[in-house]
Amino acid sequence: GYFALANLNYNGAHYNTAVGFSAGEVMTTGIYNTLLGGLAGDAITTGVRNTALGTFALTNTTTQSNNTAIGYNALTTNVNGGRNTAVGTDALALMNPSSSGNSYNAAFGYGAGANMTTAFQNTLLGSRAGVEITTGNYNTAVGYDAGYSITTGTLNTLIGSLAGDALTTGGSNVAVGYFALATEDAHGQNVAVGNRALANQNAGSTAYNTAVGNDAGYGITTGIQNTIVGGLAGDALTTGSNNTVLGTF
C-alpha cells in the first residue's frame, strides 16, 4: 500500500508485514509487526510484536510492544500501553496509560472497554462489556452489557448478559447469571449467582448479601447481610436484613 513501511531501516531480518495505506509508515527499527488496514500501526517506530488489523487499529502506538488490535478503531488512542488485546470495533478505543508500561487489558466485542483510559488488568468479553470503564482495574465482565456502567469500580467479576450492568463505582462484587445484581451501582462485597439473583438490590451501603439460585433474593432492595441459597429463595425480601434462607421457595 502507499507509504507502507516507507521509513523502515533495520539492519537485518525484520519480519514485518504491512498492507494498506500508510500502514507502518514511520516504522524505523521495529520488528515482528503485522499491520493490515489503512493507517494501521502507522505511528509505530521501534515497537515489536504488534498486530493491527483494521482501519485506524493501533494507529497512535509508537514504541510499545505486544499489542493486538483487530477491528476498526481498536486500541486507536494507545501510545504508552503494552501487552493489550482488543478485538472488535472501538474495543479499548480510548485506552492510553499515563506512562509507559504493560496494561494487560483484554477486550473482545463491539465497544468492549471503549471508554477505558488508564485502567489495567481488565478482561472484557461481549458487546459493550465494560464500555464505560475509565480507570477501574481488575474487573472481569463476560456477556452483553456485562459491567456496562462501571467507571472506577474495581475487582468485580460479572458473568452473564446484563450482569452488574448498573455498577459504577462499586467494587468486589460477584454476579453470575442473566441480570444478576443488575441494579446495584456504588457499593460492593455482594455475591449473586443465578439468573436475576439480587436483581433489584441497591443498598446504599456495603451490603454483604449472598444469593445463590435463580431469582434468589430477587426483591431485595436495601436489605443487607442476607445469605440466601435456592431457586426463588427469599425472593420476596425487600428491606429485611440478617436473614439466612436455604431451600427452594
Side-chain angles (χ1 to χ4, degrees):
Y2 186 69
F3 280 135
L5 295 179
N7 292 283
L8 187 65
N9 186 23
Y10 182 76
N11 186 21
H14 50 77
Y15 303 104
N16 290 300
T17 300
V19 180
F21 174 80
S22 290
E25 178 182 353
V26 299
M27 190 181 301
T28 54
T29 59
I31 58 175
Y32 305 118
N33 295 288
T34 301
L35 314 171
L36 175 59
L39 298 170
D42 62 312
I44 295 173
T45 54
T46 60
V48 301
R49 294 181 298 274
N50 292 292
T51 300
L53 173 59
T55 303
F56 298 122
L58 208 63
T59 192
N60 283 292
T61 297
T62 55
T63 62
Q64 282 297 330
S65 303
N66 299 299
N67 289 296
T68 299
I70 300 176
Y72 172 82
N73 236 26
L75 267 173
T76 190
T77 306
N78 181 53
V79 176
N80 297 317
R83 300 187 180 180
N84 299 285
T85 301
V87 179
T89 297
D90 289 331
L92 297 181
L94 298 181
M95 197 209 80
N96 186 26
S98 56
S99 59
S100 294
N102 295 318
S103 305
Y104 298 104
N105 289 302
F108 300 83
Y110 169 78
N115 291 295
M116 190 182 299
T117 54
T118 60
F120 53 84
Q121 296 183 34
N122 293 285
T123 301
L124 313 171
L125 175 59
S127 292
R128 307 197 307 179
V131 70
E132 298 293 341
I133 293 175
T134 53
T135 60
N137 306 318
Y138 310 113
N139 294 292
T140 298
V142 179
Y144 168 75
D145 273 7
Y148 177 95
S149 299
I150 294 173
T151 53
T152 60
T154 63
L155 298 165
N156 293 292
T157 300
L158 314 169
I159 301 175
S161 293
L162 301 170
D165 67 313
L167 285 169
T168 54
T169 59
S172 299
N173 293 290
V174 175
V176 180
Y178 167 76
F179 214 63
L181 199 67
T183 307
E184 182 63 58
D185 54 9
H187 297 90
Q189 308 290 345
N190 300 287
V191 176
V193 179
N195 292 334
R196 297 175 298 276
L198 296 180
N200 292 291
Q201 178 191 305
N202 194 9
S205 63
T206 300
Y208 299 103
N209 285 311
T210 299
V212 180
N214 285 344
D215 292 313
Y218 175 85
I220 289 176
T221 53
T222 58
I224 62 172
Q225 298 178 25
N226 295 288
T227 301
I228 302 167
V229 180
L232 293 169
D235 62 316
L237 281 170
T238 55
T239 59
S241 299
N242 302 303
N243 294 288
T244 300
V245 182
L246 174 60
T248 303
F249 301 114

